[in-house]
Structures are given as structure tokens and as C-alpha cells.
Amino acid sequence: FRGTSGSVTWSDETIGLNGCAGYAQARAFVSVEVETDNVITWVTLWGAPFSLG
């Protein structure tokens, strides 16, 4: 992204889960490199947990 804002979207992804005998939960994340005139750093953005079963 360039400028002061951006967004990330995804849909219709398949998650495989083998050997789970009960409740399972997951969450999506995206890792972003942020670069300004003064600093370069990484930010990780976490989505809300969701049920897998």
C-alpha cells in the first residue's frame, strides 16, 4: 500500500483439519511491513477467532 490507509480481504479459503476429536478454533492473521521516512517495522493484525466445528 502507499499512502495512509489500506485493506486486506480474503474469502472462500479451505482449512483442513485432521485428527481433531473435539472443539477447534482458529483465527486469520496478516503481517504487514510498515515503512516511513523514520522507521521500518512489521505489524501483525489478528482476526477474530472462529469455530472449526
Side-chain angles (χ1 to χ4, degrees):
F1 304 107
R2 292 193 184 274
T4 59
S5 66
S7 66
V8 175
T9 60
W10 60 89
S11 64
D12 299 326
E13 291 295 325
T14 302
I15 297 174
L17 186 63
N18 295 320
C20 181
Y23 179 78
Q25 193 176 56
R27 24 193 263 188
F29 72 94
V30 62
S31 207
V32 179
E33 183 182 58
V34 178
E35 181 177 346
T36 69
D37 291 338
N38 300 317
V39 68
I40 298 174
T41 190
W42 284 89
V43 177
T44 301
L45 307 168
W46 292 93
F50 57 92
S51 174
L52 295 175

